[in-house]
């Protein structure tokens, strides 16, 4: 390791810098403020070009939507051309937790609002049956059997294998909230 | 295995002088045929296409995608063929004010070892701050404080990494309000203080210059081109009045012209096409590789 001082730890005078507002604070503070403005809805620190940062924010949401679509193809396909707008509206002030969890969180959010398209509900049910996800920490594979229902589709996970049945007669669009192992 | 200075025995016995690594060798040693030539970013979606490129000598893979158990099957087969694989990190956040996370550094270094890579690369950027992931490579303020942050983090990485590190300047849509250095001085200072190689993304040079109304050749003329380990070439598209380095669109002719300008000044040992989605038909991708070969004067790999 080098003997270099970690920049954020180094005391420094504010007077040795430009007095422009954008230069206030340590690099750590300023980076945190910029990231919060870009992805968490915080106000933009002074001095930045708001239009250009807005373009970057849109480009980032566009990219995130594409990455989530790779992991949740039916969630994206179920929204057709409105996918990017749906994702961006949900994600604009939510920092990413990774594409898998972002898609999961959005699918649950839409399910709670009864706005999850049927194929996406099935996709979610399959994930829910196979994995335990608390919404805060990375999903873990379930060890116990699980049953989930999405509309007229029944998803059963037993010993890691997922089976899907179509159950005529059920029209419930919501995800079954039965607890794992029930 | 590689040695600490990045030198290792040539593995491609085709009679063409092959530098042992992507590292530039002293002037006079290189021949016009030296270098890895044209490569492509290996992605699972195009593994079959990449495997079918007969003249391929090197690829790059996202370092974070390499499991501890070893490279995925398609990559392992390329390694057995003698194709060099360079791990390219995207999540270390070398420009973050906070020290790089040790677990990420270990994973990065292990990827280089698993791939028997001659060098590894990362970005001059930060991707998280204040406990929040940005989800993207973000630009640094061009300040001495930011140079210090990069230098400190590169030292932490090199303490674990057994091969040379190449640093890539990014494409940035916006700048910080309080730059103390211009791009060339900022990059040169980082390279001088870290001793790192330069991974020059020529599409980023184009994007940054175009979006700022600058001449990309001005930057090329001021960068230490003899320090270029390899070069990225990628496509992009304009929207909102901004050129975006998307990696999902065709490589524009202006970027190929810059490849030619760069190669005329100091031909890089290797150039790599980055494509990260919206994969075109194989013939289109082959044509892009051929265009890079033509612009740089390297043999076709298709």
């Amino acid at each position: 390791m080098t003997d270099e001082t970690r920049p954020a730890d180094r005391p420094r005078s504010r007077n040795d810098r430009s007095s422009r507002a954008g230069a206030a604070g340590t690099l750590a503070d300023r980076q945190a403020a910029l990231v919060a403005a870009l992805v968490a809805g915080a106000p933009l620190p002074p001095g930045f070009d708001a239009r250009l940062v807005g373009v970057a924010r849109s480009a980032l949401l566009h990219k995130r939507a594409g990455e989530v679509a790779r992991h949740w193809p039916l969630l994206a396909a179920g929204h057709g051309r409105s996918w990017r707008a749906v994702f961006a509206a949900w994600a604009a002030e939510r920092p990413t937790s990774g594409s898998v969890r972002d898609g999961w969180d959005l699918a649950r959010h839409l399910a709670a609002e009864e706005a999850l398209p049927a194929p996406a509900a099935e996709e979610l049910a399959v994930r829910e049956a196979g994995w335990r996800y608390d919404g805060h920490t990375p999903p873990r594979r379930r060890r116990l059997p699980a049953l989930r229902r999405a509309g007229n589709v029944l998803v059963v996970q037993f010993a890691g294998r997922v089976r899907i049945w179509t159950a005529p007669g059920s029209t419930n669009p919501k995800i079954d909230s039965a607890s794992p192992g029930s | 295995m590689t040695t600490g200075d990045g030198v290792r025995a040539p593995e491609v016995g085709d009679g063409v002088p092959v530098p042992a690594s992507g590292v530039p060798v002293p002037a006079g040693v290189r021949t016009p045929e030296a270098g890895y030539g044209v490569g492509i970013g290996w992605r699972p979606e195009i593994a079959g296409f990449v495997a079918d490129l007969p003249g391929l000598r090197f690829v790059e893979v996202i370092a974070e995608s390499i499991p501890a158990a070893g490279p995925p099957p398609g990559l392992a087969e390329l390694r057995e063929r003698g194709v060099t694989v360079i791990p390219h990190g995207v999540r270390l956040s070398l420009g973050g004010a906070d020290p790089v996370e040790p677990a990420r550094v270990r994973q990065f270094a292990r990827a280089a070892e698993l791939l028997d890579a001659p060098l590894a690369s990362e970005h001059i950027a930060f991707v998280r701050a204040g406990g929040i992931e940005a989800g993207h490579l973000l630009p640094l303020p061009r300040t001495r404080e930011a140079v210090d942050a990069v230098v400190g983090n590169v030292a932490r990485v090199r303490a674990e990494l057994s091969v040379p590190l190449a640093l890539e300047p990014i494409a940035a849509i916006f700048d910080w309000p309080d730059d103390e250095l211009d791009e060339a001085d900022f990059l040169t200072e980082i390279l001088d203080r870290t001793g790192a190689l330069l991974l020059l993304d020529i599409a980023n040079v184009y994007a940054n210059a175009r979006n700022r109304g600058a001449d990309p050749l001005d930057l090329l003329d001021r960068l230490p081109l003899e320090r270029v380990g390899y070069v990225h070439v990628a496509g992009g598209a304009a929207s909102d009045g901004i050129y975006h380095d998307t990696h999902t669109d065709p490589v524009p002719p202006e970027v190929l012209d810059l490849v030619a300008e760069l190669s005329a000044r100091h031909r890089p040992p290797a150039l790599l096409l980055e494509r990260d989605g919206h994969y075109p038909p194989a013939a289109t991708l082959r044509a892009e590789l051929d265009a890079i070969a033509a612009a740089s004067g390297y043999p076709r790999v298709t």
Side-chain angles (χ1 to χ4, degrees):
Chain A
M1 202 59 53
T2 70
D3 59 358
E4 276 157 328
T5 308
R6 181 181 153 192
D9 293 339
R10 190 177 52 201
R12 46 171 269 219
S13 160
R14 297 257 172 114
N15 298 329
D16 64 356
R17 294 271 166 172
S18 155
S19 61
R20 277 180 293 176
T26 64
L27 182 62
D29 295 338
R30 297 164 62 221
Q31 288 183 336
L34 177 63
V35 171
L38 260 180
V39 302
L44 185 65
F48 284 93
D49 183 319
R51 184 184 77 85
L52 291 179
V53 174
V55 170
R57 185 184 292 115
S58 299
L60 175 55
L61 286 169
H62 184 123
K63 184 182 135 199
R64 280 177 66 187
E67 290 170 354
V68 170
R70 275 180 52 205
H71 291 285
W72 295 84
L74 299 182
L75 176 61
H79 287 92
R81 290 185 179 184
S82 63
W83 162 243
R84 281 178 192 157
V86 168
F87 179 82
W90 175 83
E93 298 187 357
R94 285 181 172 90
T96 183
S97 303
S99 304
V100 171
R101 284 173 58 187
D102 285 355
W104 208 314
D105 292 341
L106 173 55
R108 282 180 175 177
H109 170 80
L110 293 172
E113 309 239 306
E114 303 196 7
L116 191 62
E122 184 178 332
E123 184 176 51
L124 176 63
V126 169
R127 299 281 172 93
E128 298 278 9
W131 298 76
R132 183 192 301 273
Y133 173 46
D134 63 8
H136 303 286
T137 55
R140 288 177 300 158
R141 204 173 273 285
R142 289 186 190 280
R143 293 184 178 181
L144 297 175
L147 177 71
R148 287 293 181 279
R149 199 168 71 192
N152 60 347
V153 170
L154 196 63
V155 178
V156 175
Q157 178 270 123
F158 185 83
R161 295 188 176 202
V162 173
R163 294 278 165 81
I164 301 172
W165 283 280
T166 300
S170 169
T171 56
N172 181 4
K174 294 188 72 172
I175 300 300
D176 191 329
S177 59
S179 62
S182 62
Chain B
M1 289 298 291
T2 56
T3 58
D5 61 2
V7 176
R8 67 177 184 181
E11 294 180 347
V12 183
D14 59 0
V16 177
V18 180
S21 63
V23 182
V25 293
V29 175
R30 294 173 64 208
T31 73
E33 293 301 316
Y36 286 107
V38 178
I40 185 165
W42 188 91
R43 309 286 184 261
E45 295 92 333
I46 54 171
F49 170 84
V50 175
D52 286 343
L53 292 170
L56 188 69
R57 300 242 289 276
F58 93 109
V59 298
E60 182 191 76
V61 62
I62 301 301
E64 286 82 355
S65 74
I66 301 297
L75 263 189
E77 285 154 20
L78 286 177
R79 284 293 305 121
E80 285 162 18
R81 252 173 69 184
V83 174
T84 293
V85 182
I86 298 173
H88 182 55
V90 296
R91 304 285 300 280
L92 281 181
S93 204
L94 290 179
D98 296 324
V100 279
E101 296 170 21
R104 293 186 186 278
V105 175
R106 280 194 298 274
Q107 195 274 338
F108 184 69
R110 189 179 57 218
E113 286 166 15
L114 286 170
L115 296 166
D116 195 17
L119 77 165
S121 59
E122 243 288 1
H123 299 86
I124 298 175
F126 75 109
V127 303
R128 68 185 67 84
I132 301 179
E133 294 286 329
H136 197 59
L137 300 160
L138 295 178
L140 300 177
R142 297 186 193 94
T143 62
R144 301 194 188 283
E145 188 182 16
V147 171
D148 290 345
V150 174
V151 170
N153 277 330
V154 167
R156 292 178 187 102
V157 171
R158 293 183 68 181
E160 302 269 336
L161 187 67
S162 58
V163 295
L165 179 67
L167 297 177
E168 178 181 7
I170 64 167
I173 290 172
F174 60 86
D175 293 306
W176 288 68
D178 56 333
D179 289 346
E180 297 167 345
L181 305 164
D182 66 16
E183 178 81 347
D185 288 340
F186 180 67
L187 298 177
T188 302
E189 177 140 355
I190 288 171
L191 295 175
D192 284 349
R193 287 184 55 193
T194 58
L197 295 165
L198 175 60
L199 165 49
L200 183 63
D201 187 319
I202 202 72
N204 290 352
V205 171
Y206 171 72
N208 288 336
R210 173 170 163 172
N211 289 336
R212 288 159 183 76
D215 184 345
L217 296 180
D218 289 347
L219 182 62
L220 285 192
D221 286 337
R222 290 183 55 208
L223 288 178
L225 299 183
E226 73 284 357
R227 300 270 291 273
V228 172
Y230 64 112
V231 166
H232 276 172
V233 184
S239 67
D240 305 318
I242 296 289
Y243 179 84
H244 295 265
D245 179 55
T246 62
H247 299 190
T248 57
D249 292 282
V251 177
E254 295 90 338
V255 169
L256 291 170
D257 289 346
L258 273 182
V259 169
E261 290 280 358
L262 171 69
S263 299
R265 283 163 172 74
H266 191 104
R267 190 163 68 154
L271 302 99
L272 182 129
L273 175 64
E274 287 184 293
R275 183 82 188 203
D276 287 314
H278 289 200
Y279 296 100
T284 307
L285 217 43
R286 273 197 293 272
E288 287 208 325
L289 290 169
D290 290 347
I292 295 168
S296 60
Y298 278 112
R300 291 181 175 192
V301 298
T302 56

